[in-house]
Amino acid sequence: MFLANLKERIRRARVKAVLSANRELILLYREIGRMILERQRKEGWGAKVIERLSRDLRQEFLEVYAGLC
């Protein structure tokens, strides 16, 4: 009973942690999208906002992209 209780608590905590992390990422991505649209409006068509941002973020967070390959 003791071990089963511990296992269940660990499982619930893991699910709760994943859901919390997913929520934060969704909020972050929504804000990033808003910021990108704002920047595109400011700089105008053809300013390559997405291309520059993509290049800069890949350089800064290379370890994240390397882990996906």
Side-chain angles (χ1 to χ4, degrees), residues 54-65:
S54 175
R55 183 183 60 245
D56 292 344
L57 289 174
R58 279 194 192 119
Q59 287 175 353
E60 182 70 23
F61 299 103
L62 183 59
E63 71 279 357
V64 174
Y65 290 99

Side-chain angles (χ1 to χ4, degrees), residues 6-69:
L6 286 178
K7 288 178 181 180
E8 183 58 29
R9 289 184 70 185
I10 291 168
R11 286 186 186 103
R12 278 189 267 135
R14 285 181 172 177
V15 168
K16 190 175 179 179
V18 167
L19 291 175
S20 178
N22 284 342
R23 179 183 184 281
E24 292 302 317
L25 285 173
I26 289 169
L27 292 173
L28 172 65
Y29 296 152
R30 182 176 180 220
E31 179 66 13
I32 289 171
R34 189 192 62 73
M35 293 169 70
I36 289 171
L37 287 174
E38 188 176 296
R39 179 61 65 101
Q40 285 178 320
R41 284 188 201 113
K42 178 182 173 185
E43 293 189 22
W45 182 258
K48 298 185 179 184
V49 171
I50 299 290
E51 290 85 353
R52 290 191 332 255
L53 183 61
S54 175
R55 183 183 60 245
D56 292 344
L57 289 174
R58 279 194 192 119
Q59 287 175 353
E60 182 70 23
F61 299 103
L62 183 59
E63 71 279 357
V64 174
Y65 290 99
L68 296 175
C69 297

